[in-house]
């Protein structure tokens, strides 16, 4: 395989944040920045904000478009991976947006666009908690809930590139409404958007709490740590349902490892971690699932950037041993 000495521009796009980095082939992060995802109605306006952030990071790294090998992008899904067109559930400004073509047109470099949770799985497999694991699930628990599956050393794509959407398996039959329209999806229970929606329902039903309408997952974590009963229950049930989804996935895929990242997982693990691990212990009962390990992502906010960098370097799904 040809290994370029030039770095790549790595982009991680989620419902809450835009993150951009310039990453060297040996894994050094040469420059990076992040900012909140703009709340805009126009897809072009959002793309312009992303381009501005990219140019600032390239300048910080002392590079320009000619100084990079390619661009790798991890973006919230769903998407048409093969066409590079995205329709992120939690970014309504982009519907069937031709992200790959727009990036190529803007920077004049080859571009690969894939799901942000799949990028996290790749990044943690390369430089983080998933090193040397050939059968793992990488999960993002943040604004949404997503996943990337590496099985037999290969990143799974599926029919349209959406393999790994663990956020939309049903973990609570007839449970909370999800943004996709279904009831009881893991994302509808445990994501930032799902938690806020569940809070609104509880408030409408007269639940006692110190939380105001529209409180974020971070607000809920703070309230739970001071003993707010509703906040504690929202996060406990979120952790339990994540554990239920993990146990089901382990039985289906024969996994050895699950690596969990995303802002909610990383910043509220003291609240969602214990019920999550207890549910895995309770529900993963087959012999081959009893050895499953569940760990937090080691790369923190940079996991998606490292995975996006691998996409930019052209690492193929059958060659993850980098």
């Amino acid at each position: 395989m040809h290994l370029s000495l030039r770095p790549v521009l790595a982009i991680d796009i989620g419902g809450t944040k835009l993150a951009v980095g310039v990453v060297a082939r040996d894994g050094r992060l040469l420059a990076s920045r992040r900012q909140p995802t703009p709340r805009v109605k126009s897809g072009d306006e959002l793309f312009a904000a992303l381009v501005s952030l990219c140019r600032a990071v390239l300048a910080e790294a002392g590079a320009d478009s000619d100084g990079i090998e390619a661009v790798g992008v991890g973006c919230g899904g769903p998407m048409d991976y093969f066409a590079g067109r995205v329709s992120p559930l939690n970014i309504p400004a982009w519907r069937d947006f031709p992200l790959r073509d727009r990036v190529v047109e803007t920077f004049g470099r080859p571009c690969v666009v894939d799901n942000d949770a799949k990028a996290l799985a790749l990044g943690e497999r390369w430089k983080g908690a998933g090193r040397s694991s050939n059968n793992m699930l990488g999960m993002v628990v943040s604004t949404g809930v997503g996943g990337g599956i590496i099985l037999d050393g290969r990143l799974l794509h599926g029919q349209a590139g959406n393999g790994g959407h663990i956020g939309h398996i049903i973990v609570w039959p007839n449970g909370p409404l999800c943004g996709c329209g279904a009831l009881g999806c893991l994302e509808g229970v445990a994501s930032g958007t799902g938690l806020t929606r569940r809070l609104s329902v509880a408030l409408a039903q007269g639940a006692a709490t110190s939380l105001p309408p529209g409180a974020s997952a971070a607000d809920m974590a703070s309230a739970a740590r001071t003993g707010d009963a509703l906040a504690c229950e929202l996060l406990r049930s979120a952790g339990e349902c994540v554990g239920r989804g993990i146990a089901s996935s382990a039985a289906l895929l024969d996994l050895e490892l699950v690596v969990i990242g995303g802002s909610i997982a990383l910043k509220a693990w003291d609240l969602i971690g214990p019920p999550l691990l207890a549910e895995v212990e309770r529900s993963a009962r087959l012999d081959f699932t009893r050895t499953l390990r569940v760990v937090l992502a080691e790369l923190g906010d940079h996991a998606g950037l490292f995975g996006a960098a691998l996409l930019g370097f052209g690492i193929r799904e059958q060659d993850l041993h980098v």
Side-chain angles (χ1 to χ4, degrees):
M1 179 189 298
H2 169 67
L3 299 179
S4 169
L5 297 180
R6 290 188 296 181
V8 298
L9 181 64
I11 302 173
D12 182 15
I13 302 168
T16 302
K17 60 85 181 64
L18 304 177
V20 175
V22 176
V23 182
R25 183 59 182 76
D26 60 6
R28 286 177 297 124
L29 188 61
L30 304 180
S32 69
R33 292 190 186 186
R34 58 188 288 130
Q35 68 180 48
T37 303
R39 299 303 178 196
V40 297
K41 294 183 179 180
S42 163
D44 288 339
E45 187 178 354
L46 177 56
F47 184 72
L50 177 64
V51 170
S52 178
L53 183 62
C54 290
R55 295 202 188 284
V57 173
L58 285 169
E60 185 178 328
D64 56 20
S65 298
D66 292 334
I68 58 173
E69 179 70 13
V71 183
V73 183
C75 180
M79 65 179 62
D80 184 339
Y81 162 75
F82 301 101
R85 304 180 73 92
V86 302
S87 300
L89 192 62
N90 294 304
I91 306 178
W94 280 351
R95 286 294 174 267
D96 198 29
F97 187 81
L99 183 57
R100 184 181 65 199
D101 289 349
R102 293 292 297 273
V103 169
V104 171
E105 177 185 352
T106 300
F107 294 101
R109 308 304 301 160
C111 176
V112 177
V113 175
D114 208 337
N115 183 273
D116 59 343
K118 290 164 72 178
L120 177 139
L122 287 175
E124 288 289 333
R125 171 65 177 75
W126 182 26
K127 292 288 184 179
R131 285 186 297 270
S132 80
S133 176
N134 286 326
N135 296 282
M136 63 170 279
L137 168 68
M139 285 188 68
V140 174
V141 183
S142 186
T143 307
V145 176
I149 300 165
I150 294 172
L151 205 62
D152 295 333
R154 301 180 61 151
L155 179 67
L156 299 189
H157 293 299
Q159 177 181 335
N162 292 297
H165 262 65
I166 188 173
H168 297 281
I169 65 171
I170 304 300
V171 293
W172 185 338
N174 298 313
L177 178 67
C178 180
C180 74
L183 298 176
C185 289
L186 178 52
E187 181 164 309
V189 177
S191 69
T193 53
L195 285 164
T196 299
R197 193 180 298 114
R198 292 175 61 203
L199 171 62
S200 296
V201 172
L203 290 174
Q205 295 172 344
T209 180
S210 62
L211 292 166
S216 67
D219 297 329
M220 294 178 203
S222 296
R225 294 183 183 112
T226 63
D228 185 290
L230 177 60
C232 288
E233 175 55 22
L234 287 170
L235 291 167
R236 185 207 65 77
S237 55
E240 181 178 82
C241 285
V242 174
R244 191 169 300 146
I246 287 172
S248 298
S249 299
L252 179 66
L253 300 170
D254 194 4
L255 301 171
E256 63 179 347
L257 177 69
V258 177
V259 179
I260 305 179
S263 59
I264 295 176
L266 296 175
K267 296 177 182 178
W269 186 251
D270 58 318
L271 299 164
I272 71 168
L276 185 160
L277 296 173
E279 182 62 24
V280 171
E281 177 71 18
R282 183 164 48 246
S283 297
R285 306 301 299 175
L286 296 171
D287 287 346
F288 67 87
T289 65
R290 302 297 287 170
T291 58
L292 178 71
R293 292 186 297 122
V294 180
V295 301
L296 282 175
E298 290 183 359
L299 300 177
D301 292 338
H302 291 147
L305 287 180
F306 282 109
L310 281 185
L311 297 173
F313 284 121
I315 301 298
R316 298 294 183 259
E317 63 268 20
Q318 67 268 27
D319 188 14
L320 297 179
H321 303 287
V322 293

